[in-house]
Amino acid sequence: MKKILIINGHPDADHQHFCDAIVQKYTSAATAAGHSVETINVNKIEFPLLSSKREFDEEEPVAAVAEVQEKMRNIDHLVVVYPLWLGDMPALLKGFFEQLFRPGFAVQPAETKQRFRKLLKGKSARVFVTMGMPGFFYKWFFRAHTLKSLKRNILDFVGFNPVKSTVIGTANEGNDAELKEALREVSKLGQLAN
């Protein structure tokens, strides 16, 4: 059985969103299958935004972020859930990743010029992205460029492999049948810890 950490990246803590339904459905299915699951809601963590390379390289993360780092060291599988905002992940989630994936925790700075060590190897990841537009349009017209960036430039960069993704379109105005089908798929992935 796997240890799973879910990061809910929806920035709005005042209302329930489809991202919350995804987290709940995945958690229920994974727990029923015997996996252990813990959820981090980024909208409930207070942290400053980084504004310099020196802060990124040298300053210690705030205690709440350090706690998430400690949890992440011991997981097998990471799940990231977020809505597409202005064509990308919400700024709060991006700022959280900048705090989280620091040198010394996520990558080991290199002694030589172009070498570094990925410190989060041996862990897999699944990314769920919700959006108002149809998912096929995001993948076809926009080529899922921001999702590819998250996978390649953040998660794979620090060692997560494989990194799989699920795009759920028309989450704001989709019909109930489509959203129920999406949640059935989420449930299957939760059972498999995939």
Side-chain angles (χ1 to χ4, degrees):
M1 294 302 126
K2 292 185 179 178
K3 291 183 181 176
I4 302 168
L5 180 66
I6 300 177
I7 295 178
N8 184 349
H10 202 297
D12 183 3
D14 293 333
H15 302 92
Q16 288 290 304
H17 300 277
F18 195 64
C19 288
D20 300 310
I22 291 169
V23 170
Q24 291 164 2
K25 187 61 78 171
Y26 192 99
T27 299
S28 295
T31 303
H35 305 291
S36 66
V37 181
E38 187 162 356
T39 299
I40 303 296
N41 291 296
V42 175
N43 59 33
K44 294 185 179 168
I45 299 176
E46 290 188 26
F47 56 88
L49 295 177
L50 296 174
S51 59
S52 72
K53 184 174 184 330
R54 184 196 58 75
E55 288 176 351
F56 180 72
D57 287 342
E58 298 173 16
E59 288 187 6
E60 293 295 319
V62 296
V65 173
E67 286 176 25
V68 177
Q69 288 177 330
E70 194 55 42
K71 290 174 188 196
M72 193 170 283
R73 280 188 178 95
N74 300 311
I75 64 166
D76 303 301
H77 187 63
L78 175 69
V79 176
V80 180
V81 183
Y82 68 90
L84 192 72
W85 279 18
L86 291 176
D88 204 344
M89 73 178 77
L92 185 69
L93 181 59
K94 179 68 163 61
F96 178 73
F97 283 150
E98 289 173 1
Q99 282 281 357
L100 186 66
F101 293 127
R102 302 270 194 110
F105 167 70
V107 292
Q108 182 64 47
E111 311 263 325
T112 61
K113 281 191 179 177
Q114 303 205 355
R115 301 309 245 152
F116 62 90
R117 247 182 342 122
K118 300 177 180 188
L119 298 179
L120 296 174
K121 279 187 172 181
K123 304 173 191 310
S124 58
R126 163 75 58 179
V127 180
F128 291 97
V129 185
T130 67
M131 60 196 65
M133 77 177 89
F136 75 87
F137 190 72
Y138 173 69
K139 291 189 262 188
W140 173 75
F141 185 77
F142 292 105
R143 306 222 183 265
H145 65 289
T146 57
L147 176 57
K148 289 177 184 174
S149 178
L150 169 62
K151 291 166 76 173
R152 180 187 61 237
N153 300 333
I154 298 176
L155 297 176
D156 180 64
F157 184 77
V158 300
F160 286 94
N161 188 22
V163 178
K164 298 179 181 178
S165 60
T166 301
V167 171
I168 302 173
T170 62
N172 298 338
E173 61 246 5
N175 68 42
D176 285 346
E178 289 174 345
L179 297 181
K180 284 179 183 173
E181 179 56 35
L183 289 176
R184 277 193 287 276
E185 182 62 26
V186 169
S187 185
K188 288 178 193 172
L189 293 170
Q191 288 173 341
L192 299 170
N194 184 350

